[in-house]
Amino acid sequence: MISDNYPVEALLRPPVEYFAAAAYFAVAIIILSAPELLMMVPVVSYAAATLMLLRGGQRFLQAFRVRRYQKGLRRLPYYRMSSSKLPVSNQLLFLGKGFSWDQRHTQRLADLERYENRGYKVNSPLYRLSRRIEYKFEHARMAASLILFLQKSRFSPVRPLPPLGGNPALHGVGLLEGERDICISLDDRNGHMLVLGTTRVGKTRLLEIIAAQDIRRGDVTIVFDPKGDADVFRRMFAEAIAADRLDNFFFFHLGYPDVSARYNPVGNFSRVTEVASRIAGQLPGEGQSQAFREFVWRYVNVIAKALTALGRKTDYGQIKYYGEDIEGLFVDYLEHYLGNNVEQHSDWVDRVNEYETLFKIGPKDGGLGKGRGFSDRSDRAMALHKYFKDHEIRDPVAHSLIKTFDFEKGYLDKLVGSLLPLMEKLCTGKTAELLSPNYEDVEDPRPIFDWPQIIRTGGIVYVGLDALSDPEVAAAVGNSMFADLTSVAGRQYKHGTSHGVPGADYKMPRVSILCDEFNELIGDEFIPLLNKAGGAGFQVTVFTQTWSDVIARLNDQAKAGQVGGNLNTLLMLRVKELATAELLTKQLKDVEVNHLMTVSAGKATTEAGEGTNFSATNESRNTTQKMSLIHPQDLTQLSKGQCFGLVDGGKPVKIRLPLPDNSDLDALPENLELIARDMQDRYTTSDSWYQYPSSLQEVT
Ligand SMILES: Nc1ncnc2c1ncn2[C@@H]1O[C@H](COP(=O)(O)OP(=O)(O)O)[C@@H](O)[C@H]1O
Ligand SMILES: [Mg+2]
């Protein structure tokens, strides 16, 4: 009999209660059909039969439960969910079905591992036989319909298991008590969430499930998809329609510039220094490069400061243009400064013109010499330079510009050498139109977005970074987007949610940021985003394959630790590395697992005079053993679409995630459908997809 009161559960055994049930039912039948045999009057016989039937039913259910449990260890039903069935709540985020994992489950898994219980892990002989038949007669016409029946029919007792791989028992051990919906509170999501799992195990499908709920709930939803998964885009689009939010849906994709929205990664900032950080942050910074990177930072910062002071928009195009030669900006800014300060410099126009003429004449003919290293500077620039030096003007921007101008050009080009190739990439062809949008061109139908506007208007953004074609550009843009978001979050964190919005009771919407393949995107910008974002109502969910990728990308164990420490909820699908698995299992306590030991002993005594010559004992000893609640190896054996999680302050749960069903999604408009198909064709599933050449031509 199964009872929770016993120290040892016996679930892996024949369901013997069936015999008891059968006996009870038989007695009930006898009582009903021939009560006189038992000398019962009708009333008594009915009462007795009812009693027997009830007891029999109870035994039957107990046996049934054991059988069902044993079956569940091998076979899990496929769990699909259409978008209309997806629960959407304003308090909770639904993840899937499952149960809280505790000592009982560890115990049951350990029981299953015993040699004598191996039979409960393998499929029935009939199942194995039918698989063999299918394989052997795959091409035989005669067997076709039999095979079809075996594989597909609902009535086939040996239908193949869903192709999810892994060890179904990991979820099966919790089915005895039944599953419930596993949700996490939206407040907890401000503590951010990390989803780990190797390729093709369900990370992106989970992203779909989460994004769908966020969109329907009305949250601002921003999805970063470096790999370009067409299904994610399809779902977001369909959910935006379902939630009546299509007006606020933005599609940004570096690979499809003709239909992509436009975005200026360096156009929005709370401090102008952010521009330089976003650009210099993309350059290599180890060892010797560190010094160069700092120089580039200062250089870009000068340009950004001058552009801002001139009232121009900062963008990649401008920075590239003046990064190649700062002279034009130098001239513009100094003239602008003098124009604004005519009281002190009433005669500047004449004086500068005069110097210019003198530089033109040159020293040989009584004019001015430019000096070594300045020979290719223009006369105008030299004239302004002289005017500023002579008048000892103390304007910080002018001062920085002059200092930069003072470098010999060839030398300067060497110092900022690493900047230009990157800028070249960001400013070439159609990419340039997307990243350095022309605000004046009213003919261009492609919308321009920025984060403050997206947040204010409750936008939905799909960011496809096309990392496959150009990882460097993808990382630069992705990283700048993070940095930009960080800056926005920082402002909100500091000034409260109603900053800059008239009407104090304006409530900031929740902002959900979902990053797939996030190890490809993170840079140092990510750490402050996590730090500040929660307080500003930003909920970050990141998906990645291994934790070591993150460490590699950040180039620093301590920084990775900081990121990890800021991700409070952890979900782990199947992983390959034990080190990654330990990220979860190390956070759990050890538990005691029972082990029944059978001891038998016989003893023969030959001493004379005693009545017994032989004695035998047989006992079952209950020993306990310490084990980790979840073993790292269990995480390498999860079926697809299944995960362990630490939710709600580190409580372990086992979850079965639903596979989003695409069949009832609204169709995309024709032009987007073509794009989605193209995305599908280009999609690759390899482990290190980002290192693969994007076409065969590149290989040959
Ligand atoms: N919840 C699930 N249930 C069943 N199968 C799933 C589930 N999630 C994913 N899969 C299967 O795994 C495949 C890959 O999923 P995907 O999310 O793209 O993997 P990843 O992003 O981890 O590389 C899917 O096409 C599907 O066949
Ligand atoms: Mg994926």
Side-chain angles (χ1 to χ4, degrees), residues 78-79 163-164 197-206 227 229 516-517 545 573 640-642 656-660 683 685:
Y78 216 43
Y79 181 20
L164 300 174
T198 180
T199 43
R200 306 291 295 160
V201 292
K203 294 185 300 297
T204 309
R205 302 288 76 79
L206 173 61
K227 224 167 163 176
D229 188 304
D516 205 359
E517 306 288 341
Q545 292 180 19
L573 294 115
K640 278 187 184 182
Q642 290 199 11
R656 198 151 63 94
L657 308 164
L659 181 65
Y683 189 80
T685 55

Side-chain angles (χ1 to χ4, degrees), residues 199-274:
T199 43
R200 306 291 295 160
V201 292
K203 294 185 300 297
T204 309
R205 302 288 76 79
L206 173 61
L207 184 147
E208 261 185 64
I209 297 276
I210 298 178
Q213 291 176 64
D214 291 344
I215 292 173
R216 272 219 268 122
R217 196 184 300 115
D219 295 354
V220 173
T221 310
I222 303 166
V223 173
F224 288 88
D225 183 9
K227 224 167 163 176
D229 188 304
D231 283 339
V232 173
F233 168 51
R234 272 182 217 277
R235 174 150 311 265
M236 288 180 68
F237 193 86
E239 297 294 346
I241 295 177
D244 200 12
R245 295 173 67 189
L246 200 57
D247 293 349
N248 271 332
F249 182 86
F250 292 85
F251 172 73
F252 177 86
H253 200 300
L254 292 169
Y256 304 100
D258 291 333
V259 290
S260 168
R262 294 172 291 162
Y263 166 78
N264 179 353
V266 289
N268 253 285
F269 43 83
S270 39
R271 261 184 262 122
V272 68
T273 48
E274 288 173 23

Side-chain angles (χ1 to χ4, degrees), residues 99-102 180 182-185 188 191-193 565 567-571 583-589 629-630 644-654:
F99 51 90
S100 302
W101 185 277
D102 59 35
R180 60 180 167 90
I182 302 283
C183 302
I184 57 173
S185 113
D188 264 4
H192 314 309
M193 182 151 98
L567 298 161
N568 280 350
T569 306
L570 173 64
L571 297 185
L583 209 61
L584 186 141
T585 54
K586 279 227 172 105
Q587 299 190 40
L588 299 168
K589 279 202 286 202
L629 189 61
I630 299 170
F644 279 103
L646 293 182
V647 302
D648 191 14
K651 293 192 195 125
V653 286
K654 176 72 197 39

